[in-house]
Amino acid sequence: MELNFSDFSGNQIYHLMTQTIIPRPIAWVLTDSGEQSYNLAPFSYFTAVSSAPPLMMFSAGKKPTGEIKDTVKNVINTKQCVIHIASEQDADLVTATAATLEHGESEVTANDIELVEFTGFDLPRIKNCHIAYGCELYEVQQMGEAPQSLVFVKVKTLYVNDEVIELDAKQRLKIHADKVAPLARLGGGEYSGITSPFAMARPK
C-alpha cells in the first residue's frame, strides 16, 4: 500500500504518523502554574536535538477549545520545566495526566503523584521516575496550519536513579534501559515497553 499524504486531512495524517513512527519516547513534562500548582502532561512528539548545547524538543498541539496548552503557557511564563522519562508501571498515570483540565488545576494533585525536591533546580521532580531533566526554555516556534508549538529546552541538570546506573569498563556512566523500563507510545490508545536490550558493534 502506498499513501499520498495530499489525499488526507490533518487528522488522518496524524493517525497515520502516530501508528507508523513507533515506538516514540514520552516527555512527561512538569511545569509551574503558579502558587505551587504544578501541571503535568505527556507529549510523544519528543526527541533530543543536540548535545552542544544539550537541547531537547517536544511538540504540543492546542486544547480542544483552540487555546494554547498549559504546559506551553507555563514554560513561556516561567522559562523552566522538568522532563521525566516514565516507566511502564506509570502507564495509567501518564494516560490520566493527558486529561484536559482548567488552567491552574493540577494533574499532580488530581492523581496523587508524589513530588520531591530536585537538587540544584527550582522545580520538583516526580519521586518514582528514574530519569528527570531540569530544563530551561531555549525557544518556542509555531509551526503548521493548526499550529503546533515546538518547545525547545536546554538541559541544565539530570537526575538518574542510582538503581539503574553503573560505571562500565571505561568508567563511563551506563544506564540500564531494562531497569528504567521506559514507556513508549504507539498509535491510538496503545503503549509499549521495550524488549531485552542487545548490543552491536558499530562499523569503524
Side-chain angles (χ1 to χ4, degrees):
M1 179 179 289
E2 296 181 2
L3 304 173
N4 187 331
F5 270 23
S6 64
D7 296 332
F8 297 92
S9 69
N11 284 338
Q12 290 172 321
I13 290 173
Y14 172 82
H15 185 66
L16 289 169
M17 290 181 68
T18 56
Q19 290 189 98
T20 53
I21 303 174
I22 53 175
R24 299 187 308 283
I26 299 170
W28 206 13
V29 185
L30 181 135
T31 56
D32 188 355
S33 296
E35 298 181 356
Q36 296 299 304
S37 176
Y38 296 109
N39 179 271
L40 182 64
F43 300 90
S44 68
Y45 277 16
F46 162 58
T47 192
V49 175
S50 68
S51 302
L55 299 181
M56 298 191 292
M57 183 278 295
F58 64 91
S59 177
K62 298 292 182 68
K63 290 185 177 182
T65 59
E67 295 177 274
I68 189 173
K69 286 196 171 180
D70 292 346
T71 297
V72 178
K73 183 183 297 184
N74 293 343
V75 171
I76 291 173
N77 288 340
T78 68
K79 313 300 183 190
Q80 292 183 320
C81 68
V82 178
I83 294 180
H84 303 82
I85 303 300
S87 297
E88 287 183 63
Q89 65 184 18
D90 299 317
D92 288 341
L93 284 175
V94 170
T95 302
T97 58
T100 300
L101 302 180
E102 293 294 327
H103 183 68
E105 292 185 23
S106 175
E107 293 82 1
V108 174
T109 302
N111 295 284
D112 197 27
I113 297 172
E114 185 174 358
L115 304 180
V116 294
E117 180 183 359
F118 193 164
T119 304
F121 199 68
D122 292 339
L123 298 179
R125 59 177 176 83
I126 299 172
K127 181 178 181 180
N128 290 333
C129 280
H130 292 302
I131 297 172
Y133 295 90
C135 305
E136 66 178 21
L137 178 63
Y138 186 81
E139 183 180 3
V140 177
Q141 295 183 10
Q142 301 298 320
M143 184 170 294
E145 297 176 3
Q148 293 278 126
S149 297
L150 275 60
V151 182
F152 294 87
V153 295
K154 183 177 180 180
V155 179
K156 302 301 293 183
T157 187
L158 168 64
Y159 165 81
V160 182
N161 189 332
D162 289 342
E163 295 178 2
V164 304
I165 198 169
E166 70 175 2
L167 293 177
D168 66 13
K170 296 182 179 180
Q171 297 301 297
R172 297 175 302 188
L173 294 179
K174 161 68 178 176
I175 310 295
H176 291 281
D178 55 340
K179 293 182 179 180
V180 176
L183 181 66
R185 192 75 166 88
L186 304 177
E190 295 183 329
Y191 292 84
S192 178
I194 61 170
T195 59
S196 297
F198 60 91
M200 295 181 67
R202 297 178 62 180
K204 295 182 179 179

